[in-house]
Amino acid sequence: MTALGLGEVAAFPFLEPPDHRAIRDGYAVLEELGAIEPEVEGRRRSLTALGAQLARLPVDPRLGRMVLEADRHGCVREVMVIAAALSIQDPRERPAEHRAAADELHRRFEVAGSDFMSLVKLWDHLRERQHELSNSQFRRLCRAEHLNYLRVREWQDLYSQLRQVAGQLGIRQAAGGVTESHPDRVHQALLAGLLSHMGMRDGTTREYRGAHGSKFAIGAGSAVARSLPRWVVAAELVETNRLWARQVADVQPEWAERLGAHLVKRSYGEPQWNAQRGAAVCREQVTLYGLPIVRRTIAYDRVDRAQARALFIRSALVEGDWAPRHEFWTANLRFLTELDGMSERMRRVDLVDPDSVFAFYDRRVGDAVTSTRHFDRWWRDARATQPDLLTMRLEHFLHGSSAVSAADFPGEWRQGDLALQVTYRFEPGASGDGVMVHVPLPALNQVSPAGFDWNVPGVRADLVAALLKSLPKEHRRELVPMAEVIDKVNAALGPPSAWEDSTTLAAALATTVHDVVGVQVPPEAFDHAAVPAHLRVGFSVDDERGTTLAMGKDLDALRALLAPRMRAAIARESPIEERRGITSWDFGDLPEFVESTRQGVQVRGYPALLDDGDSVSIRVFTTTELQGKVMHAGVVRLLQLAVPVGKRAIERDLTNSSRLAIAGSGTSTDALAVDCLAAVASRVVTDHGGATFAADGFAALVRVARDELADGSARALRLAADILAAAASARQRLDRLVAPAVATAAADARAQLDRLVRPGFVTAAGVARLGDVLRYVQGIDHRLARLPEDPHRDQSRLREVLPLEQRYVALLRRTPRADVTAEMVDLGWQLEELRMSVFAQALGAARGTSAAKVTRTLAALGG
């Protein structure tokens, strides 16, 4: 087995180095065993109580986990024997000249369905014979039975050591000497340490499906290889010509659900009503590392109580798939029958429908009622005080009357935790005509445009009518008669709560129009500019005294207009002091957000460190996006101030040729060194958890920076000098390409070179990409060297790349800088790799990139 000592892993800070594979694998094992706390951003990971026990056992953590679990199942002796055996080389020998005889002797210890129990049987045999024989006789016995005497002694010594340490942990074998535990108990204990070594037989083949999509077969020497059980667990998986399982046992997959409770994933099928159970049920599947270990039918209220309750009401009470013996049920059946005739007289065919009946019960039945059993228990108590609670009457179904109530024109608009004042003004032509939502300036950053397009209920019918009339003629001529369509759409649309959160009115209208009249109308076809101004919600941004600072219909435009004043207002209300000239982390922990209440309105700001060049400032920003971008640069600057690196340390690896390349580039060595130092500091912050808000976190970054800044900056400077040398070579070649046939290609290559190698290119690209930048510059030189041979071929290749780059540039130009995502940035590097594959394929590309792949990525990003 691959052993990674717990002490070895624990010696490292619990901040996983992203490129240290052995440590990463060790963490994966410890997570599987439940030995370390789950990963939480910004917090050092520590051992669990179980992990602390594992650290004391003198075996691989997987084997130690088996011993701890054995105490629960009363099979400590057997599991310690197995754990000790798995920690050493197999004592059973198969010399080539006596292989058949050795196999025959070893076969005495085989146990059907378990190679592990074979080890226990071998152990018991050896212990018994050792008590009967002298030491020399026992040596001869081991030799005669093809057992390695030294490994047997090592096995026994490790067992004794393990038993001693386990005893110190309170783990002891059952009193009364040697007792035999049931193999199932032993296998459950073993499975605790081998969860990722489980396998499920693939159909009727001899192959098994393992964790994470792996496939393996059982070795021919295993006693389990002949029976091929449905599920197995292996002590180790060894890859030779294929993946082989060694030391295998038959197990039950259900055991893994408890043992791997922290690892399993649960998925659920579609819920359905089960009349026999009187409840909604669904199929639950439990998977461990992609293997389906449990499939069962469960009550759906364990998954989604609200939906289970809705299914109960719909199926049992509305559709009548239940026959309760309650007085209200009989009365309601009679009422609904009589209501059919009343609807004919009132000419209100929609007076009561299944949705209305559902709403009636939904408002009255207890929130915890999800089944017939729950209902009977709830109703027994509820009817004692409200005997008529569930008895239907006509007034319960008249809420759909066309009369307008005060609730249709609310005095406040609620969005999240905000309650915004709403005023109404009837003055056609005035800027404030219609519905006006008042937004306090310090809360402007928290208000989202989502939902305001629906307006208040009292004007929604007119708003819907205006939007339908604003459709282009090709859509509008299909909606005839228009008045009838408007009535139908209004009736079917429902309130915003009937749709998914953030569904726009235009999207809801498009769906409703299609449902009602079967006409396909795209949401963008509705012309909001053609809607009368009084039917669109207006916004008034008010200061602390209630004075209007700006008004308009576009919330985002108001936010952009008032951004400086909004930030200042939020900073004034925030319970944190803004500071300048900070050169050391002397302010304790910086909160990730601050809140205060101003005149009943909650104000939220996002503090960050702003890079001022020679110092940083504490500033309060309006959004988490701004905070994140500013905070990274601020922490990088403060880190450089905390860990100064001398010029000599950065330039120590520069050769004379490197210095000449830098000098010839038009930049100074000092400026390039500063660029490299900033880039390395940024990499340190990124690689060790990102920008921290905690003093302890920054102290940890300082410790890392002391070890990495100088060396990393020196390496980066040397690589940057190589890039400048390669760029100089390419520029010399460009200067010689003056023929008209190559002018276009030369101009394109020069533009590429200028964007790759420019002032600050090290920080712009990042330390991790400097090697790629060097390759790209060499690729330009390679392209230019071959350009005179066939300019037409180069033009053909350029036509493959240039349109994609133009689309990418257009995407960046129409995307606000604050909204540029990591995916967009990575797409730019994909385009550089595409150039390598097109113009300099001989130099190789770092990742598979093609025009088709870039096209798909562009489309996904909206380019």
Side-chain angles (χ1 to χ4, degrees), residues 525-585:
F526 295 100
D527 185 1
H528 293 270
V531 173
H534 72 280
L535 296 179
R536 290 181 281 129
V537 171
F539 302 94
S540 172
V541 182
D542 305 333
D543 64 12
E544 295 85 347
R545 297 182 298 274
T547 303
T548 299
L549 300 175
M551 286 174 32
K553 304 289 184 180
D554 189 334
L555 188 62
D556 288 332
L558 290 173
R559 196 160 20 230
L561 175 67
L562 299 172
R565 299 180 67 170
M566 174 175 59
R567 199 210 67 78
I570 292 173
R572 283 196 302 272
E573 301 298 335
S574 297
I576 187 173
E577 179 185 359
E578 289 192 332
R579 288 176 52 193
R580 294 180 179 273
I582 299 172
T583 57
S584 64
W585 195 294

Side-chain angles (χ1 to χ4, degrees), residues 405-429:
S405 67
D408 293 328
F409 295 92
E412 67 178 20
W413 189 294
R414 300 202 66 89
Q415 188 179 90
D417 296 330
L418 293 174
L420 306 174
Q421 181 188 6
V422 179
T423 59
Y424 301 89
R425 184 179 180 185
F426 178 39
E427 189 175 347

Side-chain angles (χ1 to χ4, degrees), residues 62 82 221 256 300 312 336 344 346 377 381 453 468 494 508 524 588 606 617 672 702 746 775 786 788 811 815:
R62 288 188 181 276
I82 295 168
Y300 191 57
F312 162 74
L336 292 173
E344 291 287 339
M346 295 179 64
R377 186 165 58 244
D381 297 329
D453 57 328
L468 290 172
E524 58 272 17
Y606 304 90
S617 303
L672 191 59
V702 170
R775 188 163 46 85
R786 285 152 181 76
L811 171 65
T815 303

Side-chain angles (χ1 to χ4, degrees), residues 453-498:
D453 57 328
W454 287 75
N455 214 313
V456 297
V459 302
R460 191 168 301 140
D462 292 338
L463 174 59
V464 168
L467 284 171
L468 290 172
K469 293 175 182 178
S470 75
L471 288 170
K473 186 176 181 180
E474 62 266 24
H475 295 301
R476 195 170 63 250
R477 64 189 176 194
E478 298 185 66
L479 306 180
V480 290
M482 177 61 79
E484 184 177 331
V485 171
I486 290 173
D487 290 340
K488 289 181 178 179
V489 170
N490 267 316
L493 181 63
S497 59

